[in-house]
Amino acid sequence: MAKIMIVDDAAFMRITIKNMLKKSVHEVVGEAENGKLAVERYRALSPDIVTMDITMPEMDGLQALREIISINPGANVIMVSAMGQEAMVREAIMSGAKGFIVKPFKEEGILSAIDKLA
Amino acid sequence: MNVDESMLDVYIYETQQLLESLENTLFAGENDKKLNTEQINEVFRIMHTIKGASAMMEFEHMAKLAHSLEDMFALIRENDAGSYDWPAIFDNVFSAISFFNGELAKLLDKQTMDGDSSDLIAKLKLLVARMKGESAAPAATAKKEPEAVTAETPVFDHKGDEAYYKVKLFFEENSQMENIRAFGVVQAVRKISVRFAHIPEDLNGDAATEEIRNNGFLVFLQSGENPDRIKALLETTLFLKSCSVLPIDGDDEEVPAAIRQGRDTAGAEAAHETLQAKADDHQANGEGGVSLESVAKQNFISVNVNKLDNLLNIVGEIVTAQSMVINNADFGDRQHDSFDSAAQQLHSLINELQDIVMSIRMIPVSTLFQKMRRLVRDMSKKFGKQIELEIIGEETEVDKNVIDYLSDPLLHIIRNSVDHGIEDAATRTSNGKPAYGKITLEARMTGSDVIVTITDDGGGLSRDNILKKASEKGLLTKPESEMSDKEVYGLIFLPGFSTKDQVTEFSGRGVGMDVVRKNIGVIGGSVTVDSTPGMGTTHTIRIPLTLTIVDGMKFNVGKMNFIVPTVSVRSAVKPDVKDIFTDPEGNEMIMLLGNVYSLIRLSRFFNIEDAVTDLADGMVMHIASEEREFCIFFDHLDGEYQVVVKKLPNYLKHCSSSLDGVSGCAILGDGSINLIIDVNSVQ
């Protein structure tokens, strides 16, 4: 079982991911709606795995990823991206993201990614 | 994806919110004739979010359209100082908003979302193509790829006797962006290889994705690591379907010449700092967390309106039950002081509860008013008129239900103002008015009502035209010369009245002002119109603050119980029979305090047979509504009650075509059913 934190500015996406994880053994321990909160909550909650949206207000997912990696170099961060964000995903990978998932994705998709890191 | 209802709600709610703030951003930008950097970023972000959510919900047309817009704004974002065809951009985004809203409305109504966004997308493509043509010159259009760095030194000592391996990877189907996944593999391989090369060599673009999908991603590497460790490392890659690591001879024909010569083809690719080193630097920053409490704090929750409706209903029932208890016949006439004081306390608590429940349901009219901004914008473009919409008091709060019922009437009245009211610029200037027409939309609060006025500075209503039309349609009930201007203007609210024959996209779709009056009537409000020829027209909508719990006077006619809202009641008296007379047409009139009013016998209006018929035995109530004053004749006055207004059950609407004069019903503490009089339709 892994503790998961979901970072996305859209409540819809957060709920969707949460619902997908409900049937799994994993537990969603926190959510954040922007990068800044994500970093704060990462410190407070130390989740095992973070799903990180890229485009967000306040602080985007790339910056949040970098800050989380600086807190914990081994952090498991999965970027939640979409077609058209290739360049940003590259940067994320170089900054230490463990991988990425492309919207729209299905339950099996996100579960297989999380299971692999858990 | 299997969608459950609650997720659908969130999707709709969030998308609507996003569209609303998008629209506001556009309005702000349209004033400046362009969007600034911050606004461009916001539009981009909104489109990105809508795209993602819609794609998850498998609403393809929504997702595609949002994607096109996202692309367009990505382009603009890269060079936000460029000169763009902003009017066209605004128009396209506004059309897109309409499309999105239209689809969401269908979703809400549980209809199929059959909208086709291809046309809009085609238009956007054209616009983007033009943009690319125009902004080809600035260097900023180039994609910002990571800076190229020359070959890096391996992280470990190169002994020169490391073995060669051939690695073949396949990613799972539908994992998408396989080229970037391969890029991730390259980053991992880099850390363990002396030198390496991969096929396809170029990982940019769709061609690479296609090749990796079909033939897999091939890496040749020279490494001191043993093959099992290499395999284990690569197998941590997400969405990996298969991975094989085969030792090969370094001189094998298959091995790309590049690494046989000791040159790293990936050297031209992006390099990065070793993560470990970077992380070590920052390890000290790891602690110093934020407490959980500060994390969890949230001041707002969103609640389904249905729950609020239920809450309000229950409070209504409590009000009724309260009076059932307090006025219970079992108490008889005995004194019961302690009960009375307890009852008093209960009463004031229930009042407080009621106030709070009502206030929870209050929302500002700003959303609704902003919707009108859009309407005025679109219509003035369409009709080639220049119109400014001024909004006053948008922070005024009304019940959620009021917003729902107010929306259509406002749309209708404003359509009329733009279409029929405000003249074109040429006519206006020749009449000595500013070329710009102006519509003012104002909301304000009085003690018990919210008043919404819509004022335009157009040509005003034409008394003659209205009278002509009304007499053609047989809507006149008295001689034209005897009608006051206000009465004449009031004719436009009659069913079947419409002054413009021409049907346009925006107004005159077969619904007239009678629908406006009906809608407003449902929420217990009234609407009037006033006009000065040549100067403009003012519509005034008056809505009671609380809808469902009203103070009413209870009376009966025969065995029927009625309630009339106390706000409409001026007085109730035992009539002096000599003050009542009959006019030449047989209508009964009554003289009250020197004024003459028509007297309506409710027993006749509602066909009640067991009612008092002798004027000396009954009572008269003087009723005043927004547009008229009259008197009703009834049997017996019962007193004042606070009642919970219920809609008439639907089966009543099916069995009788005429429910005129009744706006709802209420059940009182004694179990009696009371009909609530609609003062505007009793005649």
Side-chain angles (χ1 to χ4, degrees):
Chain A
M1 192 205 83
K3 292 191 286 171
I4 319 272
M5 178 166 90
I6 302 170
V7 184
D8 202 309
D9 58 331
F12 169 77
M13 282 307 300
R14 293 199 303 272
I15 293 175
T16 303
I17 295 175
K18 208 154 75 174
N19 282 350
M20 287 175 169
L21 296 180
K22 250 183 201 155
K23 291 161 218 153
S24 75
V25 295
H26 309 294
E27 183 196 0
V28 176
V29 293
E31 298 176 31
E33 58 267 29
N34 63 49
K36 233 169 127 181
L37 288 172
V39 177
E40 274 178 29
R41 286 175 195 178
Y42 186 84
R43 282 208 177 97
L45 303 168
S46 6
D48 303 320
I49 297 168
V50 179
T51 73
M52 178 77 75
D53 184 29
I54 295 180
T55 316
M56 287 185 294
E58 291 275 336
M59 182 196 286
D60 69 15
L62 272 179
Q63 188 56 33
L65 164 74
R66 290 189 190 114
E67 300 204 6
I68 286 175
I69 291 290
S70 78
I71 296 169
N72 172 14
N76 286 318
V77 181
I78 301 173
M79 306 307 285
V80 178
S81 70
M83 295 305 287
Q85 293 187 311
E86 282 82 354
M88 275 182 285
V89 176
R90 265 170 210 261
E91 274 189 60
I93 288 171
M94 291 204 295
S95 305
K98 285 280 150 57
F100 63 96
I101 182 158
V102 185
K103 280 186 271 190
F105 48 82
K106 299 220 189 291
E107 200 171 302
E108 308 87 77
I110 187 138
L111 278 177
S112 93
I114 285 178
D115 285 340
K116 199 147 194 176
L117 293 177
Chain B
M1 195 178 119
N2 43 0
V3 178
D4 71 49
E5 202 70 359
S6 70
M7 248 157 67
L8 196 62
D9 284 349
V10 179
Y11 169 77
I12 295 172
Y13 175 77
E14 194 163 65
T15 310
Q16 281 175 335
Q17 297 283 309
L18 287 168
L19 290 173
E20 208 181 298
S21 59
L22 174 62
E23 208 164 56
N24 289 338
T25 306
L26 291 181
F27 281 130
E30 207 170 28
N31 284 339
D32 305 337
K33 311 239 169 347
K34 71 184 283 279
L35 294 172
N36 61 33
T37 314
E38 204 177 301
Q39 289 164 331
I40 292 167
N41 278 328
E42 195 193 330
V43 175
F44 175 82
R45 223 173 32 232
I46 289 172
M47 279 310 147
H48 180 76
T49 307
I50 293 178
K51 175 188 80 168
S54 304
M56 293 295 291
M57 297 293 286
E58 295 173 358
F59 299 148
E60 211 178 307
H61 278 289
M62 304 259 298
K64 277 189 181 155
L65 180 56
H67 194 163
S68 303
L69 283 161
E70 186 194 6
D71 284 350
M72 182 168 87
F73 278 88
L75 199 69
I76 297 174
R77 199 164 65 148
E78 278 163 16
N79 180 22
D80 56 20
S83 61
Y84 298 105
D85 183 359
W86 284 107
I89 293 173
F90 282 121
D91 281 348
N92 276 292
V93 182
F94 274 122
S95 316
I97 293 175
S98 303
F99 176 83
F100 289 134
N101 278 327
E103 293 298 289
L104 290 178
K106 288 180 203 162
L107 200 57
L108 273 171
D109 286 354
K110 312 244 181 292
Q111 295 173 18
T112 36
M113 296 166 78
D114 51 1
D116 185 348
S117 59
S118 328
D119 286 357
L120 284 167
I121 292 172
K123 273 193 201 158
L124 286 170
K125 285 230 169 83
L126 238 109
L127 201 60
V128 167
R130 256 172 44 210
M131 257 180 222
K132 281 187 175 149
E134 281 168 17
S135 60
T141 46
K143 270 244 165 92
K144 274 191 211 132
E145 287 294 335
E147 297 258 311
V149 180
T150 42
E152 60 184 310
T153 28
V155 258
F156 52 87
D157 285 339
H158 174 28
K159 300 187 204 80
D161 56 355
E162 289 84 1
Y164 285 89
Y165 299 97
K166 176 186 174 189
V167 175
K168 193 164 196 176
L169 300 142
F170 278 94
F171 297 106
E172 278 172 22
E173 278 158 47
N174 301 323
S175 65
Q176 301 188 72
M177 286 169 38
E178 283 85 346
N179 57 333
I180 313 289
R181 297 194 185 279
F183 173 81
V185 170
V186 169
Q187 301 308 311
V189 165
R190 188 189 303 281
K191 286 188 219 160
I192 50 159
S193 310
V194 179
R195 52 177 73 95
F196 65 93
H198 48 76
I199 299 169
E201 201 172 330
D202 180 5
L203 292 179
N204 289 315
D206 294 341
T209 308
E210 202 53 37
E211 189 179 339
I212 296 168
R213 246 175 229 174
N214 296 332
N215 306 325
F217 182 53
L218 208 54
V219 185
F220 295 95
L221 59 95
Q222 191 189 3
S223 169
E225 294 281 354
N226 74 51
D228 289 342
R229 288 218 33 206
I230 295 173
K231 192 161 189 229
L233 175 75
L234 293 177
E235 275 180 343
T236 60
T237 310
L238 300 186
F239 297 103
L240 190 70
K241 189 175 171 189
S242 66
C243 166
S244 61
V245 179
L246 288 175
I248 47 167
D249 186 352
D251 296 325
D252 198 307
E253 280 293 298
E254 221 188 347
V255 178
I259 68 168
R260 264 189 284 172
Q261 292 160 9
R263 201 167 55 82
D264 177 359
T265 52
E269 279 214 27
H272 67 122
E273 298 172 53
T274 329
L275 288 173
Q276 199 54 47
K278 194 178 162 195
D280 286 346
D281 286 349
H282 293 280
Q283 204 138 41
N285 304 339
E287 69 264 320
V290 185
S291 72
L292 273 172
E293 287 84 339
S294 76
V295 164
K297 226 181 226 169
Q298 230 175 352
N299 284 324
F300 290 95
I301 52 165
S302 44
V303 179
N304 191 322
V305 182
N306 291 338
K307 289 187 185 169
L308 291 184
D309 285 342
N310 286 340
L311 181 61
L312 185 68
N313 271 335
I314 289 171
V315 171
E317 301 294 341
I318 291 175
V319 171
T320 310
Q322 173 200 228
S323 84
M324 255 157 129
V325 172
I326 292 172
N327 303 322
N328 200 297
D330 290 353
F331 286 112
D333 294 329
R334 274 181 293 124
Q335 281 288 106
H336 26 67
D337 288 342
S338 82
F339 175 82
D340 282 349
S341 77
Q344 186 54 45
Q345 199 183 349
L346 180 65
H347 180 74
S348 65
L349 285 174
I350 289 175
N351 269 355
E352 219 170 295
L353 176 65
Q354 191 185 315
D355 285 349
I356 290 173
V357 172
M358 299 311 284
S359 75
I360 294 175
R361 300 169 50 88
M362 300 293 260
I363 49 177
V365 291
S366 51
T367 320
L368 181 61
F369 279 16
Q370 290 304 332
K371 229 165 95 183
M372 301 305 144
R373 215 179 263 288
R374 174 71 193 278
L375 177 75
V376 171
R377 175 198 178 271
D378 288 359
M379 281 188 73
S380 23
K381 285 221 156 168
K382 179 104 184 169
F383 291 108
K385 294 178 180 177
Q386 296 168 314
I387 300 170
E388 178 199 340
L389 177 70
E390 187 187 11
I391 289 181
I392 302 172
E394 59 177 328
E395 69 286 346
T396 310
E397 292 191 326
V398 296
D399 191 279
K400 165 84 179 63
N401 279 345
V402 170
I403 296 271
D404 295 345
Y405 280 103
L406 201 54
S407 176
D408 281 352
L410 273 192
L411 276 170
H412 196 84
I413 292 171
I414 290 182
R415 274 176 194 152
N416 274 341
S417 285
V418 177
D419 191 1
H420 316 307
I422 297 204
E423 319 89 329
D424 55 58
T427 318
R428 290 181 64 90
T429 27
S430 72
N431 288 340
K433 290 190 195 177
Y436 259 91
K438 185 170 177 182
I439 296 176
T440 309
L441 183 55
E442 181 180 3
R444 64 175 190 278
M445 196 93 92
T446 68
S448 58
D449 299 304
V450 173
I451 294 173
V452 178
T453 54
I454 305 102
T455 309
D456 69 58
D457 67 347
L461 297 173
S462 155
R463 184 187 159 100
D464 293 343
N465 282 354
I466 294 175
L467 281 173
K468 189 163 154 260
K469 195 98 181 181
S471 72
E472 273 170 20
K473 307 221 163 173
L475 297 169
L476 291 181
T477 50
K478 54 176 165 175
E480 294 180 14
S481 55
E482 282 177 23
M483 290 180 82
S484 70
D485 282 350
K486 206 161 183 174
E487 281 174 305
V488 173
Y489 299 145
L491 290 171
I492 63 169
F493 292 110
L494 293 177
F497 187 94
S498 169
T499 43
K500 196 151 181 177
D501 301 316
Q502 194 184 345
V503 172
T504 69
E505 185 190 338
F506 296 102
S507 35
R509 257 197 217 134
V511 282
M513 294 295 282
D514 57 318
V515 176
V516 170
R517 165 166 289 181
K518 205 166 172 186
N519 253 352
I520 303 280
V522 172
I523 48 174
S526 61
V527 52
T528 53
V529 59
D530 203 5
S531 179
T532 315
M535 301 300 289
T537 308
T538 299
H539 291 82
T540 306
I541 299 172
R542 187 181 284 269
I543 308 145
L545 264 182
T546 58
L547 304 173
T548 40
I549 300 180
V550 302
D551 291 318
M553 302 290 282
K554 186 190 173 205
F555 59 85
N556 67 296
V557 180
K559 289 196 190 71
M560 300 280 285
N561 297 306
F562 292 96
I563 284 189
V564 62
T566 309
V567 283
S568 310
V569 178
R570 291 286 168 275
S571 63
V573 293
K574 271 261 176 222
D576 198 337
V577 181
K578 70 175 185 329
D579 289 339
I580 299 171
F581 52 92
T582 308
D583 78 358
E585 278 143 53
N587 301 314
E588 280 183 304
M589 313 291 270
I590 183 168
M591 175 106 100
L592 271 184
L593 301 172
N595 289 315
V596 175
Y597 304 105
S598 57
L599 180 66
I600 296 159
R601 287 176 186 246
L602 284 188
S603 53
R604 281 186 200 156
F605 184 78
F606 289 115
N607 285 323
I608 301 168
E609 282 168 0
D610 55 353
V612 171
T613 48
D614 193 339
L615 289 168
D617 296 337
M619 287 189 78
V620 163
M621 191 181 281
H622 177 196
I623 288 174
S625 73
E626 195 64 46
E627 61 255 36
R628 65 193 188 116
E629 290 186 35
F630 61 101
C631 289
I632 54 172
F633 179 73
F634 59 95
D635 294 8
H636 175 71
L637 187 66
D638 233 9
E640 193 171 0
Y641 288 82
Q642 199 176 43
V643 299
V644 181
V645 180
K646 305 239 177 235
K647 264 192 256 170
L648 287 172
N650 277 331
Y651 58 81
L652 278 184
K653 292 181 180 158
H654 292 312
C655 70
S656 163
S657 59
S658 163
L659 286 168
D660 277 353
V662 178
S663 64
C665 61
I667 301 173
L668 285 193
D670 59 4
S672 64
I673 295 173
N674 296 259
L675 296 176
I676 295 165
I677 302 272
D678 173 13
V679 294
N680 281 325
S681 59
V682 172
Q683 45 203 327

